[in-house]
Amino acid sequence: MEEGLNIVGRRVVRSDTLAKVTGKAKYAGDLKLPNMLVAKVLRSPLPHARILGIDLGGALKVPGVKAAISGFDTSGVKWGVFRYTQDHPMLPTDKVRYIGEDVAAVAAVDEETAMEALSRIRVDYEPLPAVFDPEEAMKEGAPLLHEGYRNNINVHVHIDVGEVDKAMTEAYLVREDTFRAAGEAYAMMEPYAVVASYVNGFLDLWVPNAGPHVRAKALSNLLRMPLHKVRVRHINSGGAFGGRSEVSPGDLVTSLLTIKAGRPVKLSLTREENATCTRQIHDIVATVKTGMAKDGTILAKDYRVVYDGGAYSSTGPIAASIPFYVYEECYRFPHVRYDGFRVYTNKGIRGMYGCHGRAFLAGNEAQMDLMAKELGLDPVEIRLKNGLTAGEVTATRSTISSCGLAETIHEASAATDFKAVWGKPGKGRGIGMGCVAIMCGFPMGFRSGSSCTVKMNDDGQATLLTGLVDNGQGNESMVIQVASEVLGIPMEDITLVNADTQVTNLDPGAYSQAAAFVGANAVRIACENIRKRIVALAARKLGIEEADIALRDRMACSRTTPEKKMPISWVVREAFFRGEPIEGTGSFFPKIDFEREWISRPWGQMAGTFSFGTSVAEVRIDEETGKITVPRFTAAHDCGRAINPMAVEGQMEGSIQQAGMATLMEGNLWDRGFLLNPDLLEYKVPLACDMPEMETIIVASMDPEGPFGAKEGGLTVRMNAYSAIACAVANATGDLFSELPLTPDKVLDLLERNKGAKK
Amino acid sequence: MMLPRFAYKKAKDIPAAIALYEDAGGGARYLAGGTDLVPLLKLRLNTPSVLIDIKGIPEMMKISTQGGHLCIGANVTLFDLKRHPMVKDTFGALRESLEATSCETLQMRGTIGGNLLQNTRCLFYNQSLNWRTARGFCAKMGGETCNVVPKAAACFSNYCSDNASSLLSLAAQVKLAGPGGERTLPLGEIYSGDGRTPFTLSPGEILTEILLPLETSPGAYEKLRVRNAVDYPLLGVAVTIEGNMARVCVGGIGAAPRVLVQKDFEEGLVKETAREAGREVRPVANATLSPAYRKRMVPVLTERAIKRALKEKRR
């Protein structure tokens, strides 16, 4: 094993796998508490309307109904990730702003009774003019969703570095294109479900989440309850992808109902509600203007990106910024201007997404390829020329510590014979490459760090306590593996207690790619702290130097005279004898510039480190039908170091599906305010039979600060796989896409436009 | 999503099923594999008071040859039918359409009779009761006009059976049994052409059997879909060539499949036949790909299907 590591870097079966593949893992929807009631939500049938009155009386008369609530039962506090974006009442009293918005809810003894009760609630609406297209919404005279937001502009992120206009005039080649993409659905395997229980003034919630501490804080604000009385508890999560980062209307509804009814309440959303009433992904229109020198150096970038924000702010400023940042963390931009507008429309609420920004990122990459080609350069050369390297500083002043970008480009190219294939793709064929960088964490104030407590039990086993959460990506198994490495005991000897706000300490959560770099680092440090005590005690008992002690296979043993050894459990018991049980804490706080702010001060160190990745897609286009097939997809990812390579590969393969193949088919379809495909039949998640042959390449840049060198496991593929497809299509057709997804009808239009242009 | 309440009855044979239907006095539905009906119940697009389960009726589960026909019991699952040696060797279009239907898991549940009698579909129709109530009922739900084509007092929903197209290209007949007795008629006659009530079956009638002329029939089925499994056809074209006759059937667009018969078909007529197949097709914006594109694909897929059928014929 390299560098004397026992288990880190090994392909181990994840600690959660057995329970999940045998169906024994419990999710919120599986929970049954004594006397539990069923909740159902009455939703707005109108995209925009004033609420004149809500009468719950009819519902309360239905036998078996134990509570009914509306916005008039709330504290009136509105939700928003930032103080300046608090616009979402979750249960409105003034007006509804999208079809499906939560208006009232009931808790009853069973679902049928709850449904009957909903039908007896009377809501008087005064319909208002609505607006569904963000560009329409920005025009003077468009219906306004919120007071005080001129032209429905929820957020305007303005970044201006250098002298963009001057650089454009000096550039040898300038090109401007506009790219569109339909918003996606998260389509988690598990539809949203919440169980809430209120006893003696304490509220307990089981709900899939990407950060229990931020969820509890949001709920304590919304309910005006002290934070320590709101407990978000551990539960398995059937997928998040960014869609479970924030408090959801269902959390408030279920909490209010259980408080009112005095009995536990479960709310389980249908697949349709999961699509229309939790969160969706932004539709995007990105205009990308690039100025290049004759040698292919990018001189300037000028961006205007419009995000369809739906009815409320949600993660507003973050959502309107991230696509830009993951790109500027990858390439050198001496001059850059970015105007990101997040615009209110009368559509469902939108949040962050692991694959967020495909129009922007795929557009940038495909445009770069065409410009490079004009200058006689290929995609590999142009990326190596403009890609950032370790030690460089990004346009908005983040220093890159470790960087395997060039290596991912080289590895992915070598595996696909990229240059040769790109130069002569063959009729109807193409190959394309997409690159990106990902920040591992971002500024979240005092919540940016993580703390872990670890204790050794008298049988030599360990218990870990951490706020870290697992949404299916394997975070729990990852930290158990890290602890196993440091403590020299097998993974099965470690019990994890995590993501429970009453028990665990703050952690940034699983939505800013910080779980490995920050969360696992805190676990490593905590374990190293108690390891020192185990080693000291063992050295004394064995009569050898501390430096000579190794911990492995549940034993403390001498490195030089292996027969000198004792079980770790004996060491632990000795510590109990001395009245000094072995336990300790460890914290990790990333080096971030906390003055940084998404709108008012968009510069400074964004994250402790950055991961890098390159995807290569090979496409075949049926020129009669426009149908694209992808025979092979190769992804190279610099994850610092793979703690469990099998888990990292799994993340990379999932990303090839969710970002790569999805770009051929996934997109929300709208008829004004109505989502036409709120199901998994007409919303096209790629199936196993649609998947290409996949090759995943792990590049280890060994981050100086990451736990055993780790950064994050696989997200780059989630934000460059669509670029690889778009670039491959550009290689095959010589033209740029104008809209994603690249369904066959759009591809055929592209081919035709191209034919027309050639004539 | 919760099912609405209904009474459940199981029939042991066809007369018993019909008797149960008559007892119910309207409001009854037959249940076979349920892959079409159960989702419709959950969406409250169908709210029968009684479900009569016919899937255990033994005589409807057999495949036999009789009087120059292959007789396929309506309850034979798509998966079993797909694997039947005769289907594999004799009826090219059917073999391919069965393979193209949904996915194997659902093929094991869904029956051929149910596949033929599946309701027509529309992005604006196959939605929950809340969705449809908010949007306003369309012509197919008892409203006055279509929600896709404004002001049209008609229904443009799509009939999405892959296997109807191939069976029509094979000149299949169907046997029906009902309160009024038994009858046998060409498959094409069960379609009304009206998306609101797409079938001509009388109340209580059961499709019991499908009859295929026992002739080796080279053919092919081409399906337009976004994903390579599960999806319903956005367009499906079946072609069967028997001697000098070519039968082309275009499905997946509109309430009934369209059959084009070329009596003196020869290889030189491929392009013309393909163009002809697309002439009368009128898709509207009620599926995930644009109507213009779906229409444009009719001659493309027809040509492909004919060419493959010819290739099979030469073999």
Side-chain angles (χ1 to χ4, degrees), chain A residues 107-396:
Chain A
V109 290
D110 58 34
E111 189 175 351
E112 207 175 359
T113 309
M115 304 257 279
E116 169 65 23
L118 285 193
S119 71
R120 311 258 180 118
I121 295 174
R122 295 285 160 258
V123 185
D124 284 333
Y125 294 107
E126 176 196 338
L128 298 169
V131 63
F132 307 104
D133 176 81
E135 285 163 300
E136 290 295 316
M138 288 170 87
K139 288 182 183 160
E140 291 300 332
L144 289 178
L145 271 84
H146 296 271
E147 300 281 323
Y149 289 88
R150 197 169 163 223
N151 299 339
N152 289 307
I153 295 171
N154 159 227
V155 164
H156 175 198
V157 176
H158 176 69
I159 294 163
D160 203 341
V161 178
E163 293 176 281
V164 171
D165 296 324
K166 187 161 168 272
M168 287 290 182
T169 60
E170 289 165 2
Y172 176 77
L173 190 61
V174 176
R175 185 175 172 136
E176 181 179 319
D177 298 283
T178 295
F179 307 94
R180 292 169 182 274
E184 301 104 303
Y186 296 99
M188 305 90 165
M189 211 186 293
E190 174 204 19
Y192 202 74
V194 192
V195 173
S197 163
Y198 184 72
V199 180
N200 295 332
F202 286 82
L203 179 68
D204 280 28
L205 281 110
W206 293 261
V207 52
N209 67 80
H213 292 279
V214 288
R215 183 70 61 101
K217 177 65 181 148
L219 273 165
S220 87
N221 288 355
L222 286 168
L223 295 163
R224 286 191 197 272
M225 275 174 71
L227 180 54
H228 75 281
K229 291 194 170 180
V230 180
R231 178 178 184 184
V232 174
R233 304 185 54 154
H234 178 268
I235 189 75
N236 285 302
S237 163
F241 317 116
R244 285 163 180 180
S245 311
E246 288 172 75
V247 67
S248 200
D251 304 346
L252 178 69
V253 162
T254 317
S255 300
L256 290 172
L257 285 171
T258 191
I259 290 168
K260 202 154 204 184
R263 284 167 67 169
V265 175
K266 184 199 284 185
L267 173 69
S268 304
L269 299 190
T270 63
R271 181 54 69 182
E272 176 192 344
E273 287 176 308
N274 196 64
T276 56
C277 316
T278 59
R279 280 188 174 84
Q280 304 160 354
I281 294 136
H282 300 70
D283 301 56
I284 296 175
V285 184
T287 300
V288 178
K289 186 176 176 183
T290 306
M292 255 185 207
K294 199 170 181 178
D295 69 351
T297 304
I298 296 170
L299 295 178
K301 285 275 189 186
D302 194 0
Y303 295 117
R304 182 180 187 272
V305 187
V306 175
Y307 299 84
D308 184 342
Y312 297 103
S313 277
S314 175
T315 49
I318 307 176
S321 304
I322 291 285
F324 169 75
Y325 284 117
V326 297
Y327 208 57
E328 72 120 27
E329 290 155 6
C330 186
Y331 295 109
R332 206 174 295 116
F333 301 146
H335 307 276
V336 60
R337 183 164 53 216
Y338 174 83
D339 282 295
F341 298 94
R342 191 177 186 279
V343 182
Y344 290 126
T345 60
N346 290 110
K347 282 148 85 183
I349 48 179
R350 278 106 200 273
M352 280 301 300
Y353 185 37
C355 318
H356 183 50
R358 59 182 180 168
F360 176 86
L361 292 162
N364 265 288
E365 290 282 279
Q367 184 197 57
M368 179 162 72
D369 280 0
L370 288 201
M371 293 178 76
K373 198 176 169 190
E374 219 174 311
L375 299 172
L377 296 167
D378 67 38
V380 175
E381 290 159 348
I382 195 86
R383 283 168 178 76
L384 288 172
K385 180 180 275 290
N386 291 290
L388 290 171
T389 53
E392 282 194 81
V393 178
T394 70
T396 65

Side-chain angles (χ1 to χ4, degrees), chain B residues 125-142:
Chain B
Y125 176 75
N126 296 85
Q127 300 285 0
S128 71
L129 182 59
N130 285 339
W131 194 104
R132 290 179 289 116
T133 308
R135 187 67 176 75
F137 282 9
C138 71
K140 192 170 165 68
M141 306 165 207

Side-chain angles (χ1 to χ4, degrees), chain B:
Chain B
M1 218 177 273
M2 204 174 54
L3 280 168
R5 280 185 182 270
F6 52 82
Y8 171 87
K9 312 256 178 189
K10 195 162 173 72
K12 66 177 196 316
D13 55 25
I14 295 168
I18 295 166
L20 284 168
Y21 187 93
E22 290 185 296
D23 287 351
R29 283 289 310 254
Y30 294 118
L31 168 74
T35 55
D36 188 49
L37 183 60
V38 173
L40 293 173
L41 297 177
K42 287 190 169 182
L43 295 172
R44 306 297 191 269
L45 284 164
N46 229 301
T47 48
S49 53
V50 186
L51 277 194
I52 302 161
D53 187 348
I54 56 170
K55 69 174 165 292
I57 297 177
E59 57 193 293
M60 287 173 70
M61 295 161 82
K62 281 188 268 187
I63 302 179
S64 59
T65 49
Q66 251 174 35
H69 285 99
L70 182 71
C71 308
I72 306 165
N75 281 346
V76 173
T77 66
L78 301 175
F79 188 74
D80 287 346
L81 188 56
K82 177 174 93 172
R83 298 205 301 174
H84 192 273
M86 205 118 187
V87 170
K88 274 165 73 177
D89 301 336
T90 314
F91 307 110
L94 180 60
R95 178 189 65 228
E96 293 192 4
S97 67
L98 286 164
E99 185 59 43
T101 306
S102 190
C103 58
E104 291 206 330
T105 315
L106 287 174
Q107 287 169 11
M108 289 174 193
R109 183 79 196 171
T111 63
I112 184 67
N115 185 265
L116 291 177
L117 291 177
Q118 64 179 277
N119 205 340
T120 55
R121 307 184 61 85
C122 170
L123 272 184
F124 292 70
Y125 176 75
N126 296 85
Q127 300 285 0
S128 71
L129 182 59
N130 285 339
W131 194 104
R132 290 179 289 116
T133 308
R135 187 67 176 75
F137 282 9
C138 71
K140 192 170 165 68
M141 306 165 207
E144 284 180 6
T145 57
C146 175
N147 278 342
V148 183
V149 181
K151 293 182 190 153
C155 173
F156 303 89
S157 55
N158 302 308
Y159 175 64
C160 293
S161 165
D162 293 292
N163 302 300
S165 297
S166 58
L167 288 171
L168 284 162
S169 82
L170 287 160
Q173 293 182 292
V174 290
K175 255 194 203 170
L176 306 177
E182 279 192 10
R183 54 179 180 147
T184 302
L185 67 167
L187 172 60
E189 289 182 18
I190 71 166
Y191 302 106
S192 71
D194 182 343
R196 284 169 285 205
T197 47
F199 302 105
T200 59
L201 273 64
S202 306
E205 270 191 320
I206 300 171
L207 193 159
T208 57
E209 210 168 56
I210 296 128
L211 309 174
L212 283 180
L214 270 178
E215 241 175 281
T216 300
S217 308
Y221 180 69
E222 285 281 335
K223 176 170 180 172
L224 180 69
R225 54 179 163 183
V226 173
R227 299 183 290 192
N228 292 318
V230 177
D231 288 2
Y232 284 97
L234 293 154
L235 160 68
V237 182
V239 171
T240 293
I241 297 175
E242 286 164 5
N244 291 332
M245 174 163 355
R247 267 190 235 99
V248 177
C249 181
V250 178
I253 298 177
R258 313 180 79 90
V259 183
L260 172 71
V261 182
Q262 288 279 14
K263 288 214 169 113
D264 303 307
F265 180 75
E266 50 170 282
E267 301 207 6
L269 292 174
V270 173
K271 282 213 181 289
E272 193 190 316
T273 307
R275 260 199 311 276
E276 185 62 30
R279 196 153 294 160
E280 296 293 311
V281 174
R282 301 255 182 278
V284 301
N286 61 2
T288 55
L289 296 181
S290 75
Y293 175 77
R294 288 164 73 209
K295 182 165 172 72
R296 213 178 133 176
M297 285 302 108
V298 180
V300 173
L301 295 200
T302 307
E303 192 177 325
R304 285 185 180 187
I306 295 175
K307 284 183 176 162
R308 287 201 299 110
L310 285 170
K311 205 170 160 189
E312 189 178 327
K313 192 181 168 203
R314 283 193 290 267
R315 223 182 300 160

